[in-house]
Amino acid sequence: MPNVPITCAQLEDPLEVISSLAALQLRVFNSVSIDRLTYSMEVTPTSKVALITGVTGQTGSILADLLLGLGYEVHGITRGSPSDVPTRLAHIMAGHESMKHRFTLHHCDILDIQAFSEILLATKPAELYNLAAQSSVSVSFKQPHETFRVDGLGVLNVLETVRLFLPTVRVFQASSSEIFGKATTSPQTETTKPHPCSPYANAKLVAHTLARVYREAYNLHVCSGVLYNHESSRRGGNFVTQKIARAAVKISLGLQKTLELGNLDSCRDWGHAKDFADCIWKMMQTDVAEDFIVATGETHTVRDFAKKSFAVVGIEVEFQGTGIHEVGLHSKDGSIIIKVNSNFFRPTEPVHIVGDASKALQKLYWRPSYSVTELVEEMVSAQKKEISKEFELDSLSNLDRPK
Ligand code: GDP
């Protein structure tokens, strides 16, 4: 591959260099030799400045809240349209001046190297949290290419950009418990052999490995947090926990008859996203970058999560039958409120996913503060508020309709 000439004038202007490189996309990173060290001396990260990719997601927005609370200047990246105010960030953007002024939302796709490099150089963060991802396992079976592009190639873009332009920044890579999939050991630790069983898990394993490679090969401060399922009232409605919390409230109010679920025997180690954000921040404060399992160490079935959720709205569910014929009955009148629908089954499922976060306890003094019961209560209570607001709005808009 031919060398691409870079002029002295361009070297004085980082943005010029990026433009030349980005025009040639990734292959340029292999063929152009830039004096990375000299270059990086001019671009020193600013302390207490953080950049979060995927900031409009559940964990990104919770992390933004945490960092703003700690006094950081926070920059977030979203792929969304500049005209939209992302719901999960509305409270920051419309909030108190002291917070609002320290938060900036940037619009870019991490697959766009030029745009991402420009933001990295303009903001010069001390800490970069890479949370941008296609985060649904079931979507990954339908859109494996897109999942690989964002969750695999996207991470490579972030790491390459850091290596070339801001190698002193600390990087957090959001890894996933899904990489263990059909692992034969349980609970899993940082040394458990991965065995992914979905395109999502596969892409996340590529990213997890890349993070280690960049740490070892280039001495970058990159740590991966192997995050087990983490939920909150901000969880997307396509995840089973939020789907259950919402349905429990709607069924209790007579707004829905039944909840249809897939595999009720599926088990997950469900923690609270606020606890996880805290652990993510803690691992970025250590001088030596390492990987950490972030988990509660407890596992629950989907059935159990449903039972707990309905209990919060005063409904006791009794399960009867097996497999596809299993149903959840309202204990008061015997009506069917939960059914199994095979459309929600996945081609493969992780076997026994539960994490051992002893290393995080020993080295970061981190342990989860929320129990699964508290998590369920919070999610169901938030749905109660949400649904009553929607219901009020609905009845108000009905008043306006012509009779
Ligand atoms: P994931 O662990 O990232 O895939 O999180 P999800 O919340 O999407 O799924 C957790 C588990 O719940 C998986 O084992 C699913 O197969 C199972 N599950 C059972 N029924 C449903 C359902 O209706 N929707 C979803 N999303 N998952 C379901």
Side-chain angles (χ1 to χ4, degrees):
M1 197 169 279
N3 264 351
V4 178
I6 288 199
T7 64
C8 290
Q10 278 178 318
L11 277 174
E12 275 166 36
D13 181 354
L15 293 183
E16 273 258 27
V17 178
I18 296 164
S19 306
S20 322
L21 291 177
L24 288 144
Q25 290 295 329
L26 259 183
R27 68 192 175 87
V28 165
F29 287 123
N30 303 323
S31 62
V32 178
S33 83
I34 296 178
D35 186 345
R36 185 168 58 84
L37 294 177
T38 316
Y39 189 75
S40 67
M41 277 163 59
E42 291 169 16
V43 187
T44 317
T46 320
S47 66
K48 285 254 180 186
V49 175
L51 178 61
I52 305 172
T53 73
V55 73
T56 55
Q58 170 195 238
T59 316
S61 66
I62 288 176
L63 190 62
D65 287 342
L66 173 75
L67 297 177
L68 286 168
L70 290 168
Y72 279 70
E73 176 184 322
V74 178
H75 295 266
I77 294 184
T78 175
R79 275 199 295 183
S81 153
S83 57
D84 294 344
V85 174
T87 327
R88 295 185 181 104
L89 301 174
H91 65 289
I92 298 175
M93 295 166 94
H96 195 271
E97 285 302 317
S98 63
M99 289 271 185
K100 206 156 91 179
H101 277 145
R102 284 186 286 113
F103 181 77
T104 312
L105 189 59
H106 303 262
H107 296 83
C108 122
D109 187 330
I110 56 163
L111 286 157
D112 180 341
I113 296 171
Q114 171 161 1
F116 178 67
S117 309
E118 283 179 6
I119 294 171
L120 190 72
L121 281 170
T123 55
K124 298 186 206 69
E127 295 167 20
L128 165 59
Y129 296 87
N130 188 31
L131 305 180
Q134 187 299 97
S135 60
S136 162
V137 175
S138 62
V139 168
S140 82
F141 282 106
K142 293 172 193 127
Q143 298 173 5
H145 290 94
E146 176 61 7
T147 304
F148 253 84
R149 251 165 48 82
V150 182
D151 299 5
L153 186 60
V155 177
L156 180 62
N157 284 356
V158 168
L159 293 170
E160 268 296 272
T161 309
V162 163
R163 177 178 81 82
L164 285 164
F165 302 117
L166 198 61
T168 46
V169 66
R170 292 184 173 192
V171 183
F172 169 79
Q173 172 55 31
S175 190
S176 164
S177 56
E178 291 286 322
I179 64 171
F180 295 125
K182 295 197 185 297
T184 46
T185 348
S186 180
Q188 296 85 35
T189 69
E190 290 76 6
T191 55
T192 302
K193 192 165 173 264
H195 190 146
C197 64
S198 66
Y200 169 83
N202 238 289
K204 279 287 182 184
L205 180 57
V206 167
H208 181 74
T209 316
L210 275 173
R212 181 176 49 72
V213 168
Y214 272 67
R215 178 169 69 220
E216 290 171 0
Y218 305 114
N219 204 21
L220 301 182
H221 193 289
V222 186
C223 46
S224 274
V226 183
L227 309 178
Y228 281 64
N229 291 49
H230 45 293
E231 320 292 312
S232 72
S233 55
R234 295 189 199 173
R235 194 51 146 159
N238 55 332
F239 287 86
V240 76
T241 50
Q242 192 70 297
K243 183 176 167 180
I244 293 172
R246 191 167 175 80
V249 174
K250 287 185 99 175
I251 289 173
S252 75
L253 295 172
L255 299 170
Q256 185 176 328
K257 278 212 154 62
T258 50
L259 162 64
E260 296 196 351
L261 293 169
N263 189 348
L264 298 176
D265 290 319
S266 266
C267 292
R268 286 294 185 275
D269 177 336
W270 279 295
H272 198 297
K274 275 189 187 165
D275 278 335
F276 280 43
D278 175 48
C279 189
I280 290 169
W281 175 76
K282 283 189 168 131
M283 72 180 80
M284 287 281 268
Q285 309 314 307
T286 62
D287 287 336
V288 179
E290 288 180 74
D291 296 338
F292 287 93
I293 294 281
V294 190
T296 70
E298 265 186 36
T299 185
H300 297 270
T301 59
V302 170
R303 186 185 298 102
D304 188 28
F305 199 97
K307 257 182 170 283
K308 285 186 188 308
S309 302
F310 278 89
V312 179
V313 292
I315 299 177
E316 195 189 327
V317 188
E318 283 166 9
F319 283 92
Q320 272 183 13
T322 53
I324 188 81
H325 302 296
E326 184 168 352
V327 285
L329 306 175
H330 194 310
S331 70
K332 282 227 172 95
D333 58 11
S335 60
I336 295 177
I337 49 176
I338 299 179
K339 279 184 189 165
V340 176
N341 180 339
S342 58
N343 288 332
F344 296 115
F345 284 7
R346 295 178 183 171
T348 53
E349 277 279 5
V351 178
H352 197 59
I353 293 298
V354 57
D356 174 355
S358 311
K359 181 177 168 188
L361 176 62
Q362 273 161 22
K363 295 202 165 181
L364 308 174
Y365 306 106
W366 178 85
R367 64 155 60 96
S369 65
Y370 282 82
S371 68
V372 74
T373 305
E374 288 168 322
L375 171 66
V376 170
E377 279 166 4
E378 189 185 299
M379 291 184 76
V380 175
S381 304
Q383 280 305 317
K384 267 191 202 163
K385 279 194 197 138
E386 181 94 2
I387 289 165
S388 54
K389 229 194 301 171
E390 282 169 26
F391 199 59
E392 246 169 58
L393 286 178
D394 254 13
S395 39
L396 281 179
S397 64
N398 279 341
L399 292 179
D400 295 339
R401 280 187 205 144
K403 300 259 156 26

